[in-house]
């Protein structure tokens, strides 16, 4: 009976796809199939191959999700709907020329909506005991964006698969020796992305295959009958989302405002000396001994800041050449001064970034990389998307870190002044600090950030057998 029910469900989905393939736009009278290639009624080969993935790996994943039930089953139905939306997009692509970027945004909207629905479902169910299952799906669903990736959509899907593995490994660790159903669920889910990679490698190696001899995206749709007049125009592109929170946006409490004002003053550069008062020669103590305080204290010659007349002056330090380059797997960002537009965009999962002696600058790292190190930097702003390893802050001062995506660990060592802006996705991040001060973690709350200080004082007591150390409570 279970096999019969599964067969019926697959037939129902096939009928739904056929109905979607033969549709009529509002105001049009004659439905025409958009799923066939030529006049023989055969599906385009790469659509047929996509159906194999849809009816195979995706259907198998939905079946195992139903066995687990709860939110996992509902989540699986959403993923299946997202794949259906992508199939409709492929049907359109096989009949049309590649559209403009603005038109592409509109065409991808159905897929984007399904992806957003999947991610929102995960966020609404953070208390679920199967949250790792939901996270695996949510973190990897962006793989369906491969249709807009060129020239390497296959590696992009693999990267999303790696993101899912982080959570599926947690599922295996928890259920491997307890409930084999969860192990089968992991296998069925990961096979979706494995088969999708193989599909892309065969049919869309360097990007989605459009029909070069097909209709232009701006041409009237072929599904309209000649008698029904022009088809309605496509909907306008969706409004742009809210701009990302830049490092200059700090919490609106008095301490943050004061700190922002201080940074603004320090950023004046040479202009910071404009407010200093000129001292006339008759007021200078080194030219008028009678103005010096009559005290018995005599400055030690060894501590004098004046250079000895017999000692040679040390030569002025030559400015170093700024560096921003990829060396092997390492992005080197060195000796950058007063540059707020440093961007690293062509990243890969194996890359690491190393920022050294960069002052008054802002560095943005797009994509997902292995690790980031900030060493001996002052007043550096770092914005990054995703890091799979660790972000290290060493020997630095007044740095601000903003996480747009996820990072498992941030380490702060020998640093004075470090403000870390976490995203919703990175709230599980571990922050390790040593020999550092003025550290604050900013947590997103109600479209703003709330600041929490990291303890700098600790209390240690002897409990009779061992030392016990805890953070000292802030007083006042």
């Amino acid at each position: 009976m279970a096999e019969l029910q599964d067969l019926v469900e697959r037939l129902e989905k096939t009928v739904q796809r056929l109905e979607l393939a033969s549709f009529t736009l509002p105001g049009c009278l004659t439905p025409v199939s958009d799923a066939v290639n030529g006049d023989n009624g055969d599906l385009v080969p790469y659509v047929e191959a996509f159906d194999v993935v849809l009816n195979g790996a995706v259907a198998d994943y939905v079946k195992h999700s139903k066995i687990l039930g709860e939110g996992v089953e509902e989540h699986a139905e959403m993923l299946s709907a997202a794949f259906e939306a992508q199939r409709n997009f492929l049907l359109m692509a096989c009949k049309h020329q590649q559209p403009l970027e603005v038109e592409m945004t509109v065409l991808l909207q159905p897929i984007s909506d399904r992806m957003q629905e999947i991610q929102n479902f995960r966020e609404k169910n953070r208390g679920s005991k199967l949250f790792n299952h939901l996270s695996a799906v949510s973190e990897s669903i962006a793989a369906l964006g491969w249709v807009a990736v060129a020239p390497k959509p296959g590696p992009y899907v693999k990267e999303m698969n790696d993101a899912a593995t982080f959570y599926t490994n947690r599922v295996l660790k928890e259920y491997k020796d307890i409930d084999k159903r969860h192990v089968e669920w992991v296998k069925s889910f990961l096979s979706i992305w494995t088969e999708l990679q193989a599909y892309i490698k065969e049919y869309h190696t360097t990007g989605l295959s459009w029909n070069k001899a097909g209709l232009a995206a701006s041409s009237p749709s072929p599904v309209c009958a000649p008698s029904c007049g022009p088809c309605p125009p496509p909907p306008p592109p969706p409004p742009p989302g809210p701009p990302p929170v830049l490092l200059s946006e700090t919490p609106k409490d008095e301490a943050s405002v004061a700190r922002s004002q201080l940074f603004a003053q320090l950023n004046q550069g040479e202009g910071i000396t404009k407010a200093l008062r000129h001292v006339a020669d008759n007021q200078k103590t080194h030219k008028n001994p009678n103005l010096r305080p009559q005290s018995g204290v005599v400055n030690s010659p060894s501590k004098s800041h004046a250079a000895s007349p017999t000692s040679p002056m040390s030569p002025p330090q030559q400015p170093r050449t700024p560096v921003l380059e990829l060396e092997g797997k390492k992005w080197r960002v060195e000796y950058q001064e007063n540059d707020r537009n440093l961007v690293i965009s062509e990243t890969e999962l194996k890359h690491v970034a190393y920022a050294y002696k960069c002052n008054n600058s802002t560095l943005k790292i797009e994509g997902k990389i292995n690790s980031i190190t900030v060493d001996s930097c002052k007043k550096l702003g770092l914005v990054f998307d995703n890091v799979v390893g660790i972000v290290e802050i060493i020997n630095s001062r007044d740095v601000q870190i903003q996480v747009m995506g996820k990072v498992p660990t941030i380490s702060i060592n020998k640093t004075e002044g470090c403000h870390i802006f976490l995203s919703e996705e990175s709230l599980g991040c571990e922050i390790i600090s040593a020999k550092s001060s003025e550290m604050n973690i900013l947590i997103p709350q109600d479209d703003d950030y709330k600041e929490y200080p990291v303890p700098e004082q600790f209390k240690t007591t002897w409990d009779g057998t061992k030392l016990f150390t805890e953070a000292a409570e802030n007083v006042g």
Side-chain angles (χ1 to χ4, degrees):
M1 289 299 294
E3 293 179 357
L4 180 60
Q5 183 179 358
D6 182 52
L7 179 60
V8 171
E9 290 176 355
R10 293 175 63 182
L11 288 172
E12 288 176 349
K13 289 185 177 181
T14 303
V15 172
Q16 290 175 358
R17 284 199 299 274
L18 290 174
E19 290 174 347
L20 287 172
S22 271
F23 61 91
T24 306
L25 289 180
C28 299
L29 301 175
T30 308
V32 179
S33 174
D34 191 36
V36 296
N37 182 17
D39 299 326
N40 58 2
D42 295 332
L43 286 172
V44 175
Y46 72 63
V47 177
E48 283 186 323
F50 190 81
D51 282 343
V52 173
V53 178
L54 197 56
N55 296 328
V58 176
D60 190 49
Y61 153 74
V62 172
K63 181 179 72 174
H64 284 91
S65 297
K66 287 182 178 180
I67 295 174
L68 299 184
E70 299 188 26
V72 175
E73 179 180 0
E74 188 176 351
H75 218 205
E77 294 296 338
M78 295 178 185
L79 182 138
S80 180
F83 268 83
E84 291 285 354
Q86 181 146 102
R87 184 183 188 275
N88 293 336
F89 184 88
L90 294 174
L91 288 175
M92 181 277 302
C94 73
K95 289 290 185 180
H96 291 79
Q97 300 175 16
Q98 186 170 358
L100 299 175
E101 185 175 350
V102 175
E103 297 167 332
M104 189 72 165
T105 303
V106 180
L107 296 172
L108 286 173
Q109 193 62 47
I111 299 176
S112 177
D113 290 342
R114 296 292 181 270
M115 292 163 58
Q116 189 63 51
E117 181 185 28
I118 289 171
Q119 292 171 341
N120 291 342
F121 185 85
R122 189 273 293 264
E123 294 303 320
K124 293 177 182 177
N125 291 273
R126 283 189 166 272
S128 171
K129 65 180 182 180
L130 300 180
F131 182 70
N132 285 327
H133 298 66
L134 304 181
S135 296
V137 179
S138 179
E139 289 296 315
S140 58
I141 192 60
L144 292 184
W146 69 267
V147 291
V149 175
K152 297 180 179 180
Y156 172 76
V157 174
K158 184 181 184 304
E159 185 177 329
M160 297 302 105
N161 188 16
D162 293 339
T165 304
F166 176 80
Y167 290 98
T168 54
N169 285 342
R170 290 185 174 184
V171 175
L172 294 175
K173 182 178 179 181
E174 183 176 358
Y175 292 99
K176 183 172 62 175
D177 300 323
I178 301 176
D179 193 338
K180 294 297 183 182
R181 297 179 303 170
H182 295 266
V183 177
E184 295 301 318
W185 180 90
V186 168
K187 291 180 180 178
S188 66
F189 175 68
L190 294 180
S191 69
I192 294 175
W193 307 126
T194 302
E195 292 195 18
L196 184 59
Q197 289 176 60
Y199 164 78
I200 293 172
K201 184 177 181 180
E202 183 173 357
Y203 294 97
H204 312 278
T205 307
T206 58
L208 177 61
S209 299
W210 294 85
N211 189 341
K212 295 181 179 180
L215 296 165
S218 57
S219 301
S221 173
V223 300
C224 296
S227 60
C228 72
C231 287
V245 180
L246 298 179
L247 288 169
S248 59
E249 297 182 11
T250 54
K252 300 177 182 178
D253 59 323
E254 295 180 1
S256 298
V257 172
R259 184 172 61 251
S260 298
Q261 293 174 347
L262 174 60
F263 286 168
Q265 292 176 350
L266 293 174
N267 278 324
Q268 294 181 64
E270 295 181 357
I272 198 171
T273 62
K274 290 181 179 179
L276 297 180
R277 182 175 63 87
H278 176 71
V279 180
D281 288 345
N282 60 358
Q283 294 177 306
K284 297 177 180 177
T285 58
H286 69 283
K287 291 187 177 182
N288 300 276
N290 59 319
L291 296 179
R292 298 174 188 171
Q294 301 301 316
S295 169
V297 179
V298 179
N299 291 332
S300 170
S302 62
K303 295 183 179 180
S304 174
H305 293 284
S308 171
T310 58
S311 63
M313 294 290 292
S314 58
Q317 185 176 3
Q318 296 295 326
R320 300 293 187 95
T321 304
V323 176
L324 177 55
E325 64 181 9
L326 178 62
E327 188 179 84
K329 299 179 182 179
K330 180 179 180 180
W331 282 98
R332 293 175 53 210
V333 187
E334 300 176 359
Y335 307 109
Q336 299 288 343
E337 297 282 346
N338 303 310
D339 192 339
R340 302 290 181 181
N341 299 302
L342 300 171
V343 179
I344 297 176
S345 57
E346 299 178 0
T347 57
E348 296 181 12
L349 197 59
K350 61 184 179 181
H351 288 171
V352 300
Y354 180 72
Y356 179 68
K357 288 196 173 181
C358 298
N359 302 324
N360 286 322
S361 300
T362 300
L363 170 64
K364 183 177 182 181
I365 301 177
E366 300 175 350
K368 181 182 291 186
I369 67 173
N370 189 276
S371 65
I372 302 173
T373 300
V374 175
D375 186 3
S376 304
C377 296
K378 293 180 181 179
K379 295 166 66 174
L380 173 71
L382 171 65
V383 184
F384 64 88
D385 290 341
N386 295 283
V387 170
V388 298
I390 186 172
V391 175
E392 294 183 278
I393 316 298
I394 308 170
N395 297 322
S396 298
R397 175 181 291 181
D398 296 333
V399 295
Q400 295 191 48
I401 313 297
Q402 184 165 10
V403 188
M404 304 303 293
K406 296 190 64 175
V407 58
T409 307
I410 297 178
S411 173
I412 310 171
N413 196 4
K414 297 181 181 179
T415 295
E416 297 179 13
C418 182
H419 295 77
I420 300 175
F421 295 77
L422 295 178
S423 65
E424 290 284 355
E425 294 180 302
S426 61
L427 294 181
C429 170
E430 293 182 350
I431 298 173
I432 304 169
S433 60
K435 299 181 181 179
S436 301
S437 61
E438 300 177 42
M439 298 170 290
N440 293 280
I441 312 301
L442 294 99
I443 307 298
Q445 291 184 3
D446 300 327
D447 297 328
D448 204 342
Y449 282 89
K450 187 172 181 181
E451 188 172 14
Y452 295 89
V454 176
E456 300 174 24
Q457 268 190 323
F458 299 90
K459 179 176 66 176
T460 300
T461 55
W462 175 256
D463 66 358
T465 58
K466 63 182 183 298
L467 291 176
F468 177 73
T469 302
E470 60 181 343
E473 295 184 0
N474 291 328
V475 180

